[in-house]
Amino acid sequence: MTMPSVSVVVVSRHRPEALKYCLTSLSRLIYPNYEIIVVTDPSGEAAIHDMGLTGRVRVVPFDIANISIARNKGIEAAAGNVVAFIDDDAVAEPMWLHHLAAAFGDPEVSVAGGYVRGRNGISFQWTARSVDCTGTAKSLQVDETFNTVLTPPPDQAIKTEGTNMAVRRQILLDQGGFDPAYRFYLDETDLNMRLAISGHKTAIVPLAQVHHAYAPSTRRRRNRSVTDLYDIGASSMIFLRFHCPEALHAARIEAVRQEQRKRLLIQMRDGLLEPREVRWAIKRLEQGLSDAAEMALQPLLPLRSAQHPFLRFESVADGGHVELAGRIWQKGKLCRQAAQLAEQGKTVSVFTFSHTGLFHSVRYHKPGFWLQRGGLFGRSDRGQKLFRFGLFRKRLQEEVLRIARIRWDCRKSKQ
């Protein structure tokens, strides 16, 4: 099967360090035909220069707090047959693009979405979901090892996440890309609904995985505590006006209020917010809802196609994978060895086990290796039994098997 050319679009604003991690992972994708487009502010441009990537990635200068306009800038700069999206505070597994792009081998597939792991690097933030006309998402049961192509029922769409999705470029251009009315939140969900209305099919690709860190922004702190809910209120109202019968608006708006209030109160209980900050966030939510109710909604026009050639990125990865493993006190030595191998182009996974039942976590480290830490008897997959007794080698084999298909090309022999 011929793999399509893919333009990977990253939007980054005021997060240069997060962008560096993201680009480190993208520079090591095991995929033969992709370009990287970064829509970013001056701090992001400086980060790209610091990494020695100037001229190797396409930079689109942009410094306005509107995720939809920024993504549209990336779409217009894209020259690949498929456009993939990942957030600047996410890192991609090496086989991410291989699995995501393979879905387009089916000519009926217009959109593909993968799975997103959370901060601990193991639990999932988002898997397969559908979304209805109110913007309410619910989980879908799909095969976890193969792609599933879905056509949603009327007034619903198959949900894809903006940090792990891909769409055929011509479809994005024809659709007008993302709606600039959504500065943040529900922007990709609105696109999902429009594509569903047009009859496009979506592939859920469980093996296409990224890790999402939730970096701080103007809307949340590093500990994920809320600072501003204006855009959530505004986007929620805009989505309802576009997609939902008016008779359902009041109930959904009240549900949004309750969801956000619960979120704020939990954070206040945990000492992350002061009462005055909760009051402010609620006020901003209501202001967003009110402003968006009066906003003039504009029709979308087709986007312009790129006028420059495809800028193929030469991946640093050579296709070889190395596993390093040892006890927790060997971590420093193993990480130094992993860094050397990563510089040579290897995909490296480091496993350090303590003689405990501690839960496992996975972190991505520069210059490009994965470190998994935890107890020999502890959980990695949170569905495992709490305590599982066995030898070091057996546990290592289990963990290697768990990640094999998302981290390296299993058709090739290990180095």
Side-chain angles (χ1 to χ4, degrees), residues 10 19 23 36-42 44-49 53-62 73-74 77 308 311:
V10 186
L19 177 61
L23 291 177
I36 301 173
I37 298 168
V38 185
V39 184
T40 190
D41 65 332
E45 292 189 57
I48 291 168
H49 178 75
L53 294 177
T54 301
R56 297 181 62 198
V57 305
R58 193 176 303 283
V59 176
V60 180
F62 189 74
K73 295 280 187 183
H308 45 250
L311 183 61

Side-chain angles (χ1 to χ4, degrees), residues 12-205:
S12 183
R13 184 170 184 265
H14 303 173
R15 298 200 295 211
E17 289 306 311
L19 177 61
K20 287 181 180 180
Y21 276 92
C22 179
L23 291 177
T24 298
S25 73
L26 295 182
S27 70
R28 295 174 172 276
L29 296 177
I30 301 173
Y31 192 76
N33 198 20
Y34 71 105
E35 66 175 357
I36 301 173
I37 298 168
V38 185
V39 184
T40 190
D41 65 332
S43 71
E45 292 189 57
I48 291 168
H49 178 75
D50 291 345
M51 295 179 70
L53 294 177
T54 301
R56 297 181 62 198
V57 305
R58 193 176 303 283
V59 176
V60 180
F62 189 74
D63 192 9
I64 298 173
N66 187 310
I67 187 71
S68 294
I69 297 178
R71 283 179 174 154
N72 288 349
K73 295 280 187 183
I75 294 166
E76 290 186 323
N81 294 325
V82 170
V83 182
F85 300 91
I86 185 172
D87 289 347
D88 65 347
D89 59 349
V91 294
E93 286 281 358
M95 295 294 289
W96 168 62
L97 205 54
H98 170 87
H99 292 300
L100 198 63
F104 294 95
D106 182 341
E108 293 192 340
V109 170
S110 300
V111 191
Y115 281 15
V116 181
R117 294 187 185 268
R119 279 187 165 185
N120 64 25
I122 294 177
S123 300
F124 287 110
Q125 284 179 357
W126 299 301
T127 54
R129 298 194 292 171
S130 65
V131 64
D132 65 19
C133 66
T134 70
T136 304
K138 67 176 183 179
S139 297
L140 294 173
Q141 298 299 316
V142 299
D143 191 308
E144 299 291 322
T145 56
F146 296 97
N147 299 350
T148 301
V149 180
L150 299 168
T151 301
D155 297 323
Q156 293 188 33
I158 304 305
K159 183 92 167 70
T160 58
E161 308 301 336
T163 192
N164 186 359
M165 63 182 287
V167 188
R168 294 189 189 272
R169 180 170 63 96
Q170 192 58 54
I171 291 173
L172 281 171
L173 294 172
D174 293 343
Q175 286 277 339
F178 295 85
D179 191 333
Y182 300 91
R183 300 197 319 167
F184 166 80
Y185 187 64
L186 293 177
D187 46 297
E188 68 269 65
T189 309
D190 170 75
L191 177 62
N192 294 150
M193 291 295 289
R194 287 188 279 122
L195 292 172
I197 291 168
S198 300
H200 294 289
K201 293 185 177 181
T202 299
I204 299 297
V205 188

